[in-house]
Amino acid sequence: MARKKKELPLLEKVTITDVAAEGKALAKVNDLVVFVPYVVPGDVVDLQVKRKKNHYAEAVAVKIHEQSPMRVEPFCQHYGVCGGCKWQCLSYEDQIRYKQKQVFDNLTRIGKVELPEFRPILGSEKTRFYRNKLEFTFSNKRWLTEEEVKADVQYDQMNAVGFHIPGAFDKVLAIEKCWLQDDISNQIRNAIRDYAYEHNYSFFNLRTQEGMLRNMMVRTSSTGELMVLLQCKITSDAEKRQMLELLQFVGDRFPQITSLLYVINNKCNDTIGDLEVEVFKGNDHIFEEMEGLRFKVGPKSFYQTNSEQAYQLYKVAREFAGLTGNELVYDLYTGTGTIANFVSRQAKKVIGIEYVPEAIEDAKVNSEINGIDNTLFYAGDMKDILTQDFITEHGRPDVIITDPPRAGMHNDVIDVILFAAPKRIVYVSCNPATQARDLQLLDGRYKVTAVQPVDMFPHTHHVENVVLLERRD
């Protein structure tokens, strides 16, 4: 006989007191810490507990008794379902205030290092349509919202194109309008969807690995160029003909597309790093522009997704580097060499290191098209490339700029940075928690002298942070 599931409590008239990780908010009920999505500090709510551990619980708000003065009306029709933009219900002024606090709390509680006064966070001028890249998934399993299920809505069409539902890997929420990227992205996605419906195209099934339409990516740029990449599973000549007819329709309907690409993917996942991308129309790349520099962006390239805030971020990194034209700079985790090329005019020489070989090829091209001849780029695992022998061969850097992934820097990399002993380290991070851990490891030899948070992603809890460390001589 199956054990009866324990009924979890309803907590009434609870005041939300703070924000927490992953875009959730926080309340305390006696000694129990409760994490709640889609509420803001100051809300008074009834909470239905969904999961309970010894010292914390996860809950959802089922009734709002009093609305916080910080609360604003979400502007997206998909808010609360698609899983993104969780802070739309919080005013932008309060969002950036809490992000500044998040950086401060991480650096003080985890890093436990002496800190200067923080600079005020740089908020994003654009809080809607700010992204330059979005990916949408095709699925034959449309996610039905609670309202649709309760209303017993019957859809003739269960194919959908949109975003994956958190916690349901094979279900996709049909997106009508997303506010993250220029509205051309919505127009293209919806036109492709309608054409596919009209012509009875098959949408991918993640469980059975059947169906033709898999994924689409749209990239916009500050230069006005536009890239669309369609990803399909093709197992017959008829399907290939269908795909080409769809691409022809897209090219005709949207002549402003400067790079119309496709990739045939018959694998079990949507990654395209190991696949050949074909050009249907236009170029195999677009360009981004920043302070007169042009950066080539291909379908596999990494580029900061908020172009305007990336410029603010890189200006801070360059300022913190304190370059006079005589410095040797190492740019770790250089990606496509954006920061390396951006600071090269103020440096004697810049050496960039990155794990992804294709990104390093892009970095070299970006130097070439901008007439930059004082950069060198190396591809490989950071801890394998950046060794004491490498430093002996290329020289001790005066400045190290490092922009690692969310996991932060490997201990071996930190050891080599300490061996290299640059005068200054500029640490750019998308995760202040792992940044704080790394600062603690550098603390014996380096002192934090400046901190500048930058908001790259409005309506989410993510924040970038730039820290300047100077050697203790």
Side-chain angles (χ1 to χ4, degrees):
M1 186 176 166
R3 283 176 65 185
K4 191 176 179 184
K5 207 170 181 182
K6 188 177 177 183
E7 199 168 306
L8 293 167
L10 177 73
L11 307 172
E12 296 183 292
K13 294 192 175 178
V14 175
T15 301
I16 304 298
T17 56
D18 206 346
V19 298
E22 297 174 6
K24 293 177 182 175
L26 182 145
K28 284 190 178 176
V29 180
N30 299 323
D31 293 329
L32 187 69
V33 175
V34 187
F35 297 101
V36 193
Y38 308 118
V39 292
V40 303
D43 281 344
V44 179
V45 292
D46 288 349
L47 298 176
Q48 177 58 61
V49 175
K50 294 292 185 181
R51 188 164 167 258
K52 190 172 181 299
K53 298 290 183 182
N54 286 339
H55 301 293
Y56 77 93
E58 293 176 15
V60 294
V62 291
K63 183 177 180 181
I64 298 180
H65 291 279
E66 292 177 34
Q67 290 195 359
S68 165
M70 297 182 216
R71 176 176 278 278
V72 294
E73 190 65 31
F75 50 83
C76 179
Q77 70 193 78
H78 305 296
Y79 173 76
V81 184
C82 91
C85 303
K86 289 178 181 172
W87 279 8
Q88 270 190 35
C89 56
L90 182 64
S91 75
Y92 188 62
E93 184 184 348
D94 288 307
Q95 286 181 37
I96 56 175
R97 182 168 60 84
Y98 276 111
K99 288 182 183 188
Q100 176 111 2
K101 181 176 180 292
Q102 178 187 330
V103 171
F104 180 81
D105 288 349
N106 277 311
L107 265 54
T108 50
R109 292 174 186 173
I110 300 171
K112 295 183 171 65
V113 298
E114 187 184 345
L115 296 168
E117 187 175 339
F118 285 25
R119 294 183 177 194
I121 187 169
L122 293 175
S124 180
E125 198 169 304
K126 276 188 185 173
T127 59
R128 303 180 190 186
F129 300 136
Y130 63 84
R131 284 183 69 102
N132 56 41
K133 178 189 173 189
L134 271 185
E135 290 190 54
F136 301 102
T137 299
F138 294 87
S139 172
N140 71 338
K141 290 187 179 295
R142 176 181 181 150
W143 175 263
L144 298 179
T145 65
E146 272 187 45
E147 290 75 17
E148 289 170 329
V149 172
K150 285 175 185 172
D152 198 25
V153 176
Q154 299 296 317
Y155 284 100
D156 295 331
Q157 183 59 261
M158 285 302 289
N159 289 329
V161 55
F163 298 131
H164 279 286
I165 287 290
F169 83 96
D170 63 333
K171 299 281 175 62
V172 163
L173 177 70
I175 297 294
E176 191 60 40
K177 179 167 183 171
C178 177
W179 294 80
L180 285 172
Q181 190 177 27
D182 187 287
D183 199 51
I184 189 65
S185 176
N186 291 313
Q187 295 169 35
I188 293 169
R189 183 197 60 251
N190 291 349
I192 289 175
R193 174 201 66 197
D194 293 346
Y195 184 94
Y197 285 171
E198 187 183 335
H199 294 84
N200 202 27
Y201 280 34
S202 61
F203 286 41
F204 199 61
N205 182 315
L206 264 166
R207 288 187 185 273
T208 64
Q209 296 287 302
E210 295 169 326
M212 189 183 95
L213 295 173
R214 293 189 66 146
N215 180 281
M216 65 175 286
M217 177 181 74
V218 181
R219 282 188 188 265
T220 53
S221 83
S222 55
T223 61
E225 292 171 283
L226 178 59
M227 175 186 286
V228 175
L229 171 67
L230 186 68
Q231 188 180 143
C232 296
K233 179 174 183 177
I234 302 296
T235 57
S236 68
D237 290 341
E239 285 181 335
K240 184 160 189 184
R241 188 168 59 253
Q242 275 190 312
M243 177 187 71
L244 295 175
E245 286 169 355
L246 173 57
L247 288 162
Q248 188 64 53
F249 161 77
V250 174
D252 292 343
R253 177 79 173 269
F254 299 98
Q256 62 268 57
I257 295 173
T258 56
S259 174
L260 183 54
L261 313 172
Y262 68 92
V263 61
I264 295 172
N265 180 4
N266 295 343
K267 302 184 304 172
C268 293
N269 61 60
D270 284 340
T271 59
I272 62 168
D274 57 343
L275 298 174
E276 191 169 346
V277 176
E278 303 286 351
V279 177
F280 181 81
K281 178 187 172 188
N283 304 314
D284 65 354
H285 61 276
I286 57 177
F287 282 102
E288 274 289 352
E289 205 166 74
M290 191 182 289
E291 219 175 66
L293 295 172
R294 284 166 67 79
F295 296 99
K296 183 182 177 184
V297 180
K300 300 178 187 179
S301 299
F302 171 78
Y303 193 85
Q304 284 281 5
T305 50
N306 185 338
S307 300
E308 292 180 20
Q309 281 300 88
Y311 179 44
Q312 301 304 322
L313 184 77
Y314 298 156
K315 281 198 294 185
V316 172
R318 185 175 61 190
E319 178 201 339
F320 281 9
L323 303 175
T324 64
N326 299 314
E327 291 84 6
L328 170 61
V329 179
Y330 281 14
D331 180 30
L332 311 185
Y333 312 93
T334 191
T336 55
T338 316
I339 291 179
N341 285 303
F342 187 74
V343 304
S344 63
R345 290 171 177 171
Q346 286 79 29
K348 184 178 180 181
K349 187 177 185 180
V350 184
I351 296 174
I353 305 171
E354 165 63 38
Y355 178 71
V356 181
E358 292 89 352
I360 285 297
E361 291 311 307
D362 283 345
K364 291 175 182 175
V365 169
N366 286 330
S367 286
E368 190 180 330
I369 61 180
N370 288 291
I372 295 168
D373 58 7
N374 63 337
T375 55
L376 279 175
F377 294 101
Y378 293 89
D381 194 308
M382 189 64 62
K383 63 182 173 54
D384 297 332
I385 296 278
L386 187 68
T387 62
Q388 294 187 11
D389 288 345
F390 184 92
I391 288 165
T392 302
E393 180 185 347
H394 293 281
R396 287 183 182 271
D398 300 293
V399 178
I400 285 181
I401 300 173
T402 181
D403 185 5
R406 291 190 65 77
M409 295 191 291
H410 192 282
N411 280 4
D412 290 353
V413 176
I414 292 174
D415 289 342
V416 178
I417 288 174
L418 291 169
F419 169 77
K423 292 175 189 170
R424 288 182 295 283
I425 300 168
V426 180
Y427 192 148
V428 182
S429 174
C430 58
N431 185 349
T434 54
Q435 184 184 47
R437 178 204 67 203
D438 293 346
L439 295 182
Q440 192 173 35
L441 296 173
L442 293 162
D443 186 49
R445 293 278 299 281
Y446 287 87
K447 181 180 180 180
V448 176
T449 57
V451 180
Q452 176 67 75
V454 182
D455 183 29
M456 303 288 286
F457 307 106
H459 312 303
T460 77
H461 63 285
H462 297 291
V463 60
E464 294 266 344
N465 190 45
V466 191
V467 168
L468 171 61
L469 299 104
E470 297 187 86
R471 195 173 64 208
R472 300 176 189 269
D473 288 327

